[in-house]
Amino acid sequence: MANTSSSPHRTALLASAVALLGALTACGGTDGTTTAPRPTTPTTHDRTTSPPGTEVSPGEQSTPTRPAASPSPAGAAAPSSRCRTAELRAEVGRMDPGAGQRNFPIVLTNASARTCTVYGYPGAAFVDASGRQLGPDPERAPGKPSRVTLAPGDSAWAGLSYASPEISGARTARPAGLLVTPPDEREPIEVDWTAGAVPVSGNASTVRLTVFAPGSGP
């Protein structure tokens, strides 16, 4: 006669064994070690160093950028550039005598097709026919410079003055020309000098220059 009571017992044992095997597979390897969660690979965003408070999109490099230039004040116009030597024509105006002085206007005229400016004093030097300077450099008379804007064809003038040699008794020389250098330029313009002898040394031999003003003379 078959033993029917042992079948349910075997079935229960088999079910328990299957359940235990499933638990071991889920929780660890067959060697008894526990499998830790695998770390995720860092993305480009994770590897990028960004300043605190900034946010970088994934895949975007954190490249420093230059700050934007400050805008010009509303209504401010860019200043006109200075007149260059090649854009100007120079001449010496008619002498204006007075109180033992000889006074001449040095005139610069804008011969270019653009508007430009002059500011301050000219450079000046008397030279002989070979280009050698006669006498020391002129001195600057006290004055308050102002920027003079020259449209094409406009002129500005600066005064050149010295004591009359016949009165001062200074040693003189007769120049062939006058070198006129526009403000902030290096190249001079040579102008023929036809006004006779000028003081070059001795008493009261100083030659003075004034700042530029609009026009062609006083």
Side-chain angles (χ1 to χ4, degrees), residues 104-202:
F104 300 86
I106 297 176
V107 182
L108 293 181
T109 300
N110 182 5
S112 74
R114 73 180 185 101
T115 297
C116 58
T117 63
V118 293
Y119 178 84
Y121 296 83
F126 293 110
V127 293
D128 62 16
S130 65
R132 182 174 61 90
Q133 182 170 337
L134 301 174
D137 293 335
E139 295 182 358
R140 293 179 174 182
K144 184 177 180 180
S146 61
R147 196 172 305 279
V148 182
T149 300
L150 301 180
D154 286 351
S155 300
W157 72 280
L160 180 149
S161 63
Y162 53 85
S164 298
E166 296 85 352
I167 298 175
S168 68
R171 291 183 57 245
T172 63
R174 189 175 294 271
L178 177 70
L179 298 182
V180 178
T181 306
D184 299 318
E185 290 291 292
R186 293 180 179 274
E187 294 298 322
I189 305 169
E190 183 168 359
V191 182
D192 291 339
W193 182 260
T194 59
V198 300
V200 293
S201 65

Coordinates of all heavy atoms in Angstrom, one line a residue, residues 104-202:
F104 N 53.3 137.3 -34.9 CA 52.9 136.7 -36.2 C 51.9 135.6 -35.8 O 52.1 134.8 -34.9 CB 54.1 136.1 -36.9 CG 55.1 137.0 -37.3 CD1 56.2 137.4 -36.4 CD2 55.2 137.6 -38.5 CE1 57.2 138.2 -36.7 CE2 56.2 138.5 -38.9 CZ 57.2 138.8 -38.0
P105 N 50.8 135.4 -36.6 CA 50.0 134.2 -36.5 C 50.5 133.1 -37.3 O 50.8 133.2 -38.5 CB 48.6 134.7 -37.0 CG 49.0 135.8 -38.0 CD 50.3 136.4 -37.6
I106 N 50.7 131.9 -36.6 CA 51.0 130.7 -37.3 C 49.6 130.0 -37.6 O 48.9 129.7 -36.7 CB 51.8 129.8 -36.5 CG1 53.2 130.4 -36.2 CG2 52.0 128.4 -37.2 CD1 54.1 129.6 -35.3
V107 N 49.3 129.8 -38.9 CA 48.0 129.4 -39.3 C 48.1 127.9 -39.8 O 48.9 127.7 -40.7 CB 47.3 130.3 -40.3 CG1 45.9 129.8 -40.7 CG2 47.3 131.7 -39.8
L108 N 47.2 127.1 -39.3 CA 47.1 125.7 -39.8 C 45.7 125.6 -40.4 O 44.7 125.9 -39.8 CB 47.2 124.7 -38.7 CG 48.6 124.5 -38.1 CD1 48.6 123.4 -37.1 CD2 49.7 124.2 -39.2
T109 N 45.6 125.1 -41.7 CA 44.3 125.0 -42.4 C 44.1 123.5 -42.7 O 45.0 122.8 -43.2 CB 44.3 125.8 -43.7 OG1 44.5 127.2 -43.3 CG2 43.0 125.6 -44.4
N110 N 42.9 123.0 -42.4 CA 42.6 121.6 -42.7 C 42.4 121.5 -44.2 O 41.4 121.9 -44.8 CB 41.3 121.2 -42.0 CG 40.9 119.8 -42.2 OD1 41.6 119.0 -42.9 ND2 39.7 119.4 -41.7
A111 N 43.4 120.8 -44.9 CA 43.3 120.6 -46.3 C 42.8 119.2 -46.7 O 42.8 118.8 -47.8 CB 44.7 120.7 -46.9
S112 N 42.3 118.4 -45.7 CA 41.7 117.1 -45.9 C 40.2 117.1 -46.2 O 39.6 118.2 -46.1 CB 42.0 116.2 -44.7 OG 41.2 116.5 -43.6
A113 N 39.7 116.0 -46.4 CA 38.2 115.9 -46.7 C 37.5 115.5 -45.4 O 36.3 115.2 -45.5 CB 38.0 114.9 -47.8
R114 N 38.1 115.4 -44.3 CA 37.4 115.0 -43.0 C 37.6 116.1 -42.0 O 38.4 117.0 -42.1 CB 38.0 113.7 -42.5 CG 39.4 113.8 -41.9 CD 39.9 112.5 -41.4 NE 41.2 112.7 -40.7 CZ 41.3 112.8 -39.4 NH1 40.3 112.6 -38.6 NH2 42.5 112.9 -38.8
T115 N 36.7 116.0 -41.0 CA 36.8 117.0 -39.9 C 37.8 116.4 -38.8 O 37.8 115.2 -38.5 CB 35.5 117.2 -39.2 OG1 34.6 117.7 -40.2 CG2 35.5 118.1 -38.0
C116 N 38.7 117.3 -38.3 CA 39.7 116.9 -37.3 C 39.9 118.0 -36.3 O 39.2 119.1 -36.4 CB 41.0 116.5 -38.0 SG 41.8 117.8 -39.0
T117 N 40.7 117.8 -35.4 CA 40.9 118.8 -34.3 C 42.4 119.1 -34.0 O 43.2 118.2 -34.2 CB 40.2 118.3 -33.0 OG1 40.9 117.1 -32.5 CG2 38.8 118.0 -33.2
V118 N 42.6 120.3 -33.5 CA 43.9 120.6 -32.9 C 43.7 121.1 -31.5 O 42.7 121.7 -31.2 CB 44.6 121.7 -33.8 CG1 45.0 121.2 -35.1 CG2 43.8 123.0 -33.9
Y119 N 44.7 120.8 -30.7 CA 44.6 121.2 -29.2 C 45.9 121.5 -28.7 O 46.9 120.7 -28.7 CB 44.0 120.0 -28.5 CG 43.8 120.2 -27.0 CD1 42.7 120.9 -26.5 CD2 44.8 119.8 -26.1 CE1 42.6 121.0 -25.1 CE2 44.7 120.0 -24.7 CZ 43.6 120.6 -24.2 OH 43.4 120.8 -22.9
G120 N 46.0 122.7 -28.1 CA 47.3 123.1 -27.4 C 48.2 124.0 -28.3 O 47.7 124.9 -29.0
Y121 N 49.5 123.7 -28.1 CA 50.5 124.6 -28.8 C 51.1 123.9 -30.0 O 51.2 122.7 -30.0 CB 51.6 124.9 -27.8 CG 51.3 125.6 -26.5 CD1 50.7 124.9 -25.4 CD2 51.5 127.0 -26.4 CE1 50.4 125.6 -24.3 CE2 51.2 127.7 -25.2 CZ 50.6 127.0 -24.2 OH 50.3 127.7 -23.0
P122 N 51.5 124.7 -30.9 CA 52.3 124.2 -32.0 C 53.8 124.0 -31.6 O 54.2 124.6 -30.6 CB 52.2 125.2 -33.1 CG 52.1 126.5 -32.4 CD 51.3 126.2 -31.1
G123 N 54.5 123.3 -32.4 CA 56.0 123.3 -32.2 C 56.5 124.2 -33.3 O 55.9 124.4 -34.4
A124 N 57.6 124.9 -33.0 CA 58.2 125.8 -34.0 C 59.7 125.9 -33.9 O 60.2 125.8 -32.8 CB 57.6 127.2 -33.9
A125 N 60.4 126.1 -35.0 CA 61.8 126.3 -35.0 C 62.3 127.0 -36.2 O 61.8 126.7 -37.3 CB 62.5 124.9 -34.9
F126 N 63.1 128.0 -36.1 CA 63.7 128.7 -37.2 C 64.9 127.9 -37.7 O 65.6 127.4 -36.9 CB 64.2 130.1 -36.8 CG 63.1 131.1 -36.4 CD1 62.9 131.5 -35.1 CD2 62.2 131.6 -37.4 CE1 61.9 132.4 -34.8 CE2 61.2 132.5 -37.1 CZ 61.1 132.9 -35.7
V127 N 65.0 127.8 -39.1 CA 66.1 127.0 -39.6 C 66.7 127.8 -40.8 O 66.1 128.7 -41.4 CB 65.6 125.7 -40.2 CG1 65.1 124.8 -39.0 CG2 64.4 125.9 -41.2
D128 N 68.0 127.5 -41.0 CA 68.7 128.1 -42.2 C 68.4 127.3 -43.4 O 67.7 126.3 -43.4 CB 70.2 128.3 -41.9 CG 70.9 127.0 -41.7 OD1 70.3 125.9 -42.0 OD2 72.0 127.0 -41.1
A129 N 69.1 127.7 -44.5 CA 68.9 127.0 -45.8 C 69.2 125.5 -45.8 O 68.7 124.7 -46.6 CB 69.6 127.7 -46.9
S130 N 70.1 125.2 -44.9 CA 70.6 123.8 -44.8 C 69.7 123.0 -43.8 O 69.9 121.8 -43.7 CB 72.0 123.7 -44.4 OG 72.2 124.2 -43.1
G131 N 68.7 123.6 -43.2 CA 67.9 122.9 -42.3 C 68.3 122.9 -40.8 O 67.7 122.3 -40.0
R132 N 69.4 123.6 -40.6 CA 70.0 123.7 -39.2 C 69.2 124.7 -38.4 O 68.9 125.8 -38.9 CB 71.5 124.1 -39.2 CG 72.1 124.2 -37.9 CD 73.6 124.5 -38.0 NE 73.9 125.7 -38.7 CZ 74.0 126.9 -38.1 NH1 73.9 127.0 -36.8 NH2 74.2 128.0 -38.8
Q133 N 68.8 124.3 -37.1 CA 68.0 125.2 -36.3 C 68.8 126.4 -35.9 O 70.0 126.3 -35.5 CB 67.5 124.5 -35.1 CG 66.6 125.3 -34.2 CD 65.9 124.5 -33.1 OE1 65.7 123.3 -33.3 NE2 65.5 125.1 -32.0
L134 N 68.2 127.6 -35.9 CA 68.7 128.8 -35.4 C 68.1 129.2 -34.1 O 66.9 129.4 -34.0 CB 68.5 129.9 -36.5 CG 69.1 129.7 -37.8 CD1 68.7 130.8 -38.8 CD2 70.6 129.5 -37.8
G135 N 68.9 129.4 -33.0 CA 68.4 129.8 -31.7 C 67.7 128.6 -31.0 O 67.5 127.5 -31.6
P136 N 67.3 128.8 -29.8 CA 66.7 127.8 -29.0 C 65.2 127.6 -29.4 O 64.6 128.4 -30.1 CB 66.8 128.3 -27.5 CG 66.8 129.8 -27.7 CD 67.5 130.1 -29.0
D137 N 64.6 126.5 -28.8 CA 63.2 126.3 -29.1 C 62.4 127.4 -28.4 O 62.7 127.9 -27.3 CB 62.7 125.0 -28.4 CG 63.4 123.8 -29.1 OD1 63.7 123.9 -30.3 OD2 63.5 122.7 -28.5
P138 N 61.3 127.9 -29.0 CA 60.4 128.9 -28.4 C 59.8 128.4 -27.1 O 59.7 127.1 -26.9 CB 59.3 129.1 -29.5 CG 59.9 128.7 -30.8 CD 60.8 127.5 -30.4
E139 N 59.5 129.3 -26.2 CA 58.8 129.0 -25.0 C 57.3 129.1 -25.2 O 56.8 129.8 -26.1 CB 59.3 129.9 -23.9 CG 60.7 129.7 -23.5 CD 61.1 130.6 -22.4 OE1 60.3 131.4 -21.9 OE2 62.3 130.6 -22.0
R140 N 56.5 128.5 -24.3 CA 55.1 128.5 -24.3 C 54.6 129.6 -23.4 O 54.9 129.6 -22.2 CB 54.5 127.2 -23.9 CG 54.7 126.1 -24.9 CD 54.1 124.8 -24.4 NE 54.3 123.7 -25.4 CZ 53.8 122.5 -25.3 NH1 53.2 122.1 -24.2 NH2 54.0 121.6 -26.3
A141 N 53.8 130.5 -24.0 CA 53.2 131.6 -23.2 C 52.1 131.0 -22.4 O 51.4 130.0 -22.8 CB 52.7 132.7 -24.1
P142 N 51.8 131.5 -21.2 CA 50.7 131.0 -20.4 C 49.4 131.1 -21.2 O 49.1 132.1 -21.9 CB 50.6 131.9 -19.1 CG 52.0 132.4 -19.0 CD 52.5 132.6 -20.5
G143 N 48.5 130.1 -21.1 CA 47.3 130.1 -21.8 C 46.5 128.8 -21.4 O 47.0 127.8 -20.9
K144 N 45.2 128.9 -21.7 CA 44.3 127.7 -21.4 C 43.9 127.1 -22.7 O 43.1 127.6 -23.5 CB 43.0 128.2 -20.7 CG 42.1 127.1 -20.3 CD 40.9 127.6 -19.5 CE 40.0 126.4 -19.0 NZ 38.9 126.9 -18.3
P145 N 44.5 125.9 -23.0 CA 44.2 125.2 -24.3 C 42.7 124.8 -24.4 O 42.1 124.5 -23.4 CB 45.1 124.0 -24.3 CG 46.1 124.3 -23.2 CD 45.4 125.1 -22.2
S146 N 42.2 124.9 -25.6 CA 40.8 124.4 -25.9 C 40.9 123.7 -27.2 O 41.7 124.0 -28.1 CB 39.8 125.5 -25.9 OG 40.1 126.5 -26.9
R147 N 40.1 122.7 -27.4 CA 40.1 121.9 -28.6 C 39.4 122.7 -29.7 O 38.2 123.1 -29.6 CB 39.3 120.5 -28.4 CG 39.6 119.5 -29.5 CD 39.0 118.2 -29.1 NE 39.5 117.7 -27.8 CZ 40.7 117.2 -27.6 NH1 41.5 117.0 -28.6 NH2 41.1 116.8 -26.4
V148 N 40.1 122.8 -30.8 CA 39.5 123.5 -32.0 C 39.2 122.5 -33.1 O 40.0 121.8 -33.5 CB 40.5 124.6 -32.5 CG1 39.9 125.3 -33.7 CG2 41.0 125.5 -31.4
T149 N 37.9 122.5 -33.4 CA 37.4 121.6 -34.5 C 37.5 122.2 -35.8 O 37.0 123.3 -36.0 CB 36.0 121.1 -34.2 OG1 35.9 120.5 -32.9 CG2 35.5 120.2 -35.3
L150 N 38.2 121.5 -36.8 CA 38.4 122.1 -38.1 C 37.7 121.2 -39.1 O 38.1 120.1 -39.4 CB 39.9 122.1 -38.5 CG 40.8 122.9 -37.5 CD1 42.2 122.9 -38.0 CD2 40.3 124.4 -37.5
A151 N 36.6 121.8 -39.7 CA 36.0 121.1 -40.9 C 36.9 121.3 -42.0 O 37.8 122.2 -42.0 CB 34.6 121.7 -41.1
P152 N 36.7 120.6 -43.1 CA 37.6 120.8 -44.3 C 37.6 122.3 -44.7 O 36.5 122.9 -44.9 CB 36.9 119.9 -45.4 CG 36.3 118.8 -44.6 CD 35.8 119.5 -43.3
G153 N 38.8 122.9 -44.8 CA 38.9 124.3 -45.2 C 39.0 125.3 -44.1 O 39.4 126.4 -44.3
D154 N 38.7 124.8 -42.8 CA 38.7 125.7 -41.7 C 40.2 125.8 -41.2 O 41.0 125.0 -41.4 CB 37.9 125.2 -40.5 CG 36.4 125.3 -40.8 OD1 36.1 126.0 -41.8 OD2 35.6 124.8 -40.0
S155 N 40.4 126.9 -40.4 CA 41.8 127.2 -39.9 C 41.8 127.5 -38.4 O 40.8 127.8 -37.8 CB 42.3 128.5 -40.7 OG 42.4 128.3 -42.0
A156 N 43.0 127.3 -37.9 CA 43.2 127.7 -36.5 C 44.6 128.4 -36.5 O 45.5 128.1 -37.3 CB 43.3 126.4 -35.6
W157 N 44.8 129.3 -35.5 CA 46.0 130.0 -35.4 C 46.6 130.1 -34.0 O 45.9 130.0 -33.0 CB 45.8 131.5 -35.9 CG 45.1 132.3 -35.0 CD1 43.7 132.4 -34.8 CD2 45.6 133.3 -34.0 NE1 43.4 133.3 -33.8 CE2 44.5 133.8 -33.3 CE3 46.9 133.7 -33.7 CZ2 44.7 134.8 -32.3 CZ3 47.1 134.6 -32.7 CH2 46.0 135.2 -32.0
A158 N 47.9 130.2 -33.9 CA 48.6 130.3 -32.7 C 49.6 131.5 -32.9 O 50.2 131.7 -34.0 CB 49.4 129.0 -32.3
G159 N 49.8 132.3 -31.8 CA 50.7 133.4 -31.9 C 52.2 133.1 -31.7 O 52.5 132.3 -30.9
L160 N 53.0 133.7 -32.5 CA 54.5 133.6 -32.4 C 55.0 135.1 -32.2 O 54.7 135.9 -33.0 CB 55.2 133.0 -33.6 CG 56.7 132.8 -33.6 CD1 57.1 131.6 -34.4 CD2 57.4 134.1 -34.2
S161 N 55.7 135.3 -31.1 CA 56.1 136.7 -30.8 C 57.5 136.8 -30.2 O 58.0 135.8 -29.6 CB 55.1 137.4 -29.9 OG 55.1 136.7 -28.6
Y162 N 58.2 137.9 -30.4 CA 59.5 138.1 -29.8 C 59.7 139.6 -29.8 O 59.1 140.4 -30.6 CB 60.6 137.4 -30.6 CG 60.6 137.7 -32.1 CD1 61.3 138.8 -32.6 CD2 60.0 136.8 -33.0 CE1 61.3 139.0 -34.0 CE2 60.0 137.0 -34.3 CZ 60.7 138.1 -34.8 OH 60.7 138.4 -36.2
A163 N 60.7 140.0 -29.0 CA 61.0 141.5 -28.9 C 61.8 141.9 -30.1 O 62.6 141.1 -30.7 CB 61.8 141.7 -27.6
S164 N 61.5 143.1 -30.6 CA 62.2 143.6 -31.8 C 63.7 143.7 -31.5 O 64.1 144.3 -30.5 CB 61.7 145.0 -32.1 OG 60.3 145.0 -32.4
P165 N 64.5 143.0 -32.3 CA 66.0 143.0 -32.1 C 66.6 144.4 -32.0 O 67.6 144.6 -31.3 CB 66.5 142.2 -33.2 CG 65.4 141.3 -33.7 CD 64.2 142.2 -33.5
E166 N 66.0 145.3 -32.8 CA 66.6 146.7 -32.8 C 66.5 147.3 -31.5 O 67.3 148.2 -31.1 CB 65.9 147.5 -33.9 CG 66.0 147.1 -35.3 CD 65.0 146.0 -35.7 OE1 64.3 145.5 -34.8 OE2 64.9 145.6 -36.9
I167 N 65.5 146.9 -30.7 CA 65.2 147.5 -29.4 C 65.9 146.7 -28.3 O 66.5 147.2 -27.4 CB 63.7 147.6 -29.1 CG1 63.0 148.5 -30.1 CG2 63.5 148.1 -27.6 CD1 61.6 148.6 -29.9
S168 N 65.9 145.4 -28.4 CA 66.4 144.5 -27.4 C 67.9 144.4 -27.4 O 68.6 144.1 -26.4 CB 65.8 143.1 -27.5 OG 66.2 142.5 -28.7
G169 N 68.5 144.6 -28.6 CA 69.9 144.4 -28.8 C 70.4 142.9 -28.9 O 71.6 142.6 -28.7
A170 N 69.4 142.0 -29.0 CA 69.8 140.6 -29.1 C 70.5 140.3 -30.4 O 70.4 141.0 -31.4 CB 68.5 139.8 -29.1
R171 N 71.4 139.3 -30.3 CA 72.0 138.8 -31.6 C 71.0 138.1 -32.5 O 70.0 137.5 -32.0 CB 73.1 137.8 -31.2 CG 74.3 138.4 -30.5 CD 75.4 137.3 -30.3 NE 75.8 136.7 -31.5 CZ 75.7 135.4 -31.8 NH1 75.1 134.6 -31.0 NH2 76.1 134.9 -33.0
T172 N 71.1 138.3 -33.8 CA 70.1 137.9 -34.7 C 70.7 136.9 -35.8 O 71.9 136.8 -36.0 CB 69.4 139.1 -35.4 OG1 70.4 139.8 -36.2 CG2 68.8 140.0 -34.4
A173 N 69.8 136.3 -36.5 CA 70.1 135.5 -37.6 C 68.9 135.6 -38.6 O 67.8 136.0 -38.2 CB 70.3 134.0 -37.3
R174 N 69.1 135.4 -39.8 CA 68.1 135.5 -40.8 C 67.7 134.1 -41.3 O 68.4 133.5 -42.1 CB 68.5 136.3 -42.0 CG 67.4 136.7 -43.0 CD 68.0 137.6 -44.1 NE 68.4 138.9 -43.5 CZ 67.5 140.0 -43.4 NH1 66.3 139.8 -43.8 NH2 68.0 141.1 -42.9
P175 N 66.6 133.6 -40.8 CA 66.2 132.2 -41.2 C 65.7 132.1 -42.6 O 65.3 133.1 -43.3 CB 65.0 131.9 -40.2 CG 65.0 133.0 -39.2 CD 65.6 134.2 -39.9
A176 N 65.8 130.9 -43.2 CA 65.3 130.6 -44.5 C 63.8 130.1 -44.4 O 63.0 130.2 -45.3 CB 66.1 129.6 -45.2
G177 N 63.6 129.5 -43.2 CA 62.2 128.9 -43.1 C 61.9 128.8 -41.6 O 62.7 128.9 -40.7
L178 N 60.6 128.4 -41.4 CA 60.1 128.1 -40.0 C 59.5 126.7 -40.1 O 58.6 126.5 -40.9 CB 59.0 129.2 -39.6 CG 58.4 128.9 -38.2 CD1 59.4 129.1 -37.1 CD2 57.1 129.8 -38.1
L179 N 59.9 125.8 -39.2 CA 59.3 124.5 -39.1 C 58.1 124.6 -38.1 O 58.3 125.0 -37.0 CB 60.3 123.5 -38.6 CG 61.6 123.3 -39.5 CD1 62.5 122.2 -38.9 CD2 61.2 122.9 -40.9
V180 N 57.0 124.2 -38.6 CA 55.8 124.2 -37.7 C 55.3 122.8 -37.6 O 55.0 122.1 -38.5 CB 54.7 125.1 -38.4 CG1 53.4 125.0 -37.5 CG2 55.1 126.5 -38.6
T181 N 55.2 122.4 -36.3 CA 54.8 121.0 -36.0 C 53.4 121.1 -35.3 O 53.2 121.7 -34.3 CB 55.7 120.3 -35.1 OG1 57.1 120.3 -35.6 CG2 55.3 118.8 -34.9
P182 N 52.4 120.4 -35.9 CA 51.0 120.4 -35.3 C 51.1 119.7 -34.0 O 51.9 118.9 -33.7 CB 50.2 119.7 -36.3 CG 50.9 119.8 -37.6 CD 52.4 119.8 -37.3
P183 N 50.1 120.1 -33.1 CA 50.1 119.4 -31.7 C 50.0 117.9 -31.8 O 49.3 117.3 -32.7 CB 48.8 120.0 -31.1 CG 48.6 121.3 -31.8 CD 49.1 121.1 -33.2
D184 N 50.9 117.3 -31.0 CA 50.9 115.8 -30.9 C 51.4 115.1 -32.1 O 51.2 113.9 -32.2 CB 49.5 115.2 -30.5 CG 49.0 115.8 -29.2 OD1 49.8 115.8 -28.2 OD2 47.8 116.1 -29.1
E185 N 52.0 115.8 -33.0 CA 52.6 115.2 -34.2 C 54.1 115.3 -34.2 O 54.7 116.1 -33.4 CB 52.1 115.9 -35.5 CG 50.6 115.7 -35.8 CD 50.4 114.2 -36.2 OE1 50.8 113.9 -37.3 OE2 49.7 113.5 -35.5
R186 N 54.8 114.5 -35.0 CA 56.2 114.5 -35.0 C 56.8 115.2 -36.3 O 57.9 115.7 -36.3 CB 56.8 113.1 -34.9 CG 56.5 112.5 -33.5 CD 57.1 111.0 -33.5 NE 56.9 110.4 -32.2 CZ 57.7 110.5 -31.2 NH1 58.8 111.3 -31.3 NH2 57.4 110.0 -30.0
E187 N 56.0 115.0 -37.4 CA 56.5 115.6 -38.7 C 56.1 117.1 -38.8 O 55.0 117.4 -38.7 CB 55.9 114.8 -39.8 CG 56.3 113.3 -39.9 CD 57.9 113.2 -40.1 OE1 58.4 114.1 -40.9 OE2 58.5 112.4 -39.5
P188 N 57.1 117.9 -39.1 CA 56.8 119.4 -39.2 C 56.4 119.7 -40.6 O 56.6 118.9 -41.6 CB 58.1 120.0 -38.8 CG 59.2 119.0 -39.2 CD 58.6 117.7 -39.1
I189 N 55.9 120.9 -40.8 CA 55.7 121.5 -42.1 C 56.6 122.7 -42.2 O 56.6 123.6 -41.3 CB 54.2 122.0 -42.2 CG1 53.2 120.8 -41.9 CG2 53.9 122.6 -43.6 CD1 51.8 121.3 -41.8
E190 N 57.4 122.8 -43.3 CA 58.3 123.9 -43.4 C 57.6 125.1 -44.2 O 57.0 124.8 -45.3 CB 59.6 123.5 -44.1 CG 60.6 124.7 -44.2 CD 62.0 124.2 -44.6 OE1 62.2 123.0 -44.8 OE2 62.9 125.1 -44.7
V191 N 57.7 126.3 -43.6 CA 57.1 127.5 -44.2 C 58.3 128.4 -44.5 O 59.2 128.6 -43.7 CB 56.1 128.1 -43.3 CG1 55.5 129.3 -43.9 CG2 55.0 127.1 -42.9
D192 N 58.2 129.0 -45.7 CA 59.3 130.1 -46.0 C 59.1 131.2 -45.0 O 58.0 131.7 -44.7 CB 59.1 130.6 -47.4 CG 59.4 129.6 -48.5 OD1 60.2 128.6 -48.1 OD2 58.9 129.7 -49.6
W193 N 60.3 131.7 -44.5 CA 60.3 132.9 -43.6 C 60.8 134.1 -44.4 O 61.9 134.1 -44.9 CB 61.2 132.6 -42.4 CG 61.2 133.7 -41.4 CD1 62.2 134.7 -41.3 CD2 60.2 134.0 -40.4 NE1 61.9 135.6 -40.3 CE2 60.7 135.2 -39.8 CE3 59.1 133.4 -40.1 CZ2 59.9 135.7 -38.7 CZ3 58.3 134.0 -39.1 CH2 58.8 135.1 -38.4
T194 N 60.0 135.1 -44.5 CA 60.3 136.3 -45.3 C 60.3 137.6 -44.4 O 60.3 138.7 -45.0 CB 59.3 136.4 -46.4 OG1 58.0 136.5 -45.9 CG2 59.4 135.3 -47.4
A195 N 60.2 137.4 -43.1 CA 60.0 138.6 -42.2 C 61.4 139.1 -41.6 O 61.4 139.8 -40.6 CB 59.1 138.2 -41.1
G196 N 62.5 138.7 -42.2 CA 63.8 139.3 -41.8 C 64.4 138.6 -40.6 O 64.1 137.4 -40.3
A197 N 65.3 139.3 -39.9 CA 66.1 138.7 -38.9 C 65.3 138.4 -37.6 O 64.3 139.2 -37.3 CB 67.3 139.6 -38.5
V198 N 65.7 137.4 -36.9 CA 65.0 137.1 -35.6 C 66.1 136.9 -34.5 O 67.2 136.7 -34.8 CB 64.2 135.7 -35.8 CG1 63.2 135.8 -36.8 CG2 65.2 134.6 -36.0
P199 N 65.7 137.1 -33.3 CA 66.7 137.0 -32.2 C 67.0 135.5 -32.0 O 66.2 134.7 -31.9 CB 66.0 137.6 -31.0 CG 64.5 137.4 -31.3 CD 64.4 137.5 -32.8
V200 N 68.3 135.3 -31.8 CA 68.7 133.9 -31.5 C 69.5 133.7 -30.2 O 69.7 132.6 -29.7 CB 69.6 133.3 -32.7 CG1 68.7 133.2 -34.0 CG2 70.8 134.2 -33.0
S201 N 70.1 134.8 -29.7 CA 70.8 134.7 -28.4 C 70.9 136.1 -27.8 O 70.7 137.1 -28.5 CB 72.2 134.1 -28.6 OG 73.0 134.9 -29.4
G202 N 71.3 136.2 -26.6 CA 71.5 137.5 -25.9 C 70.2 137.9 -25.2 O 69.3 137.1 -25.0

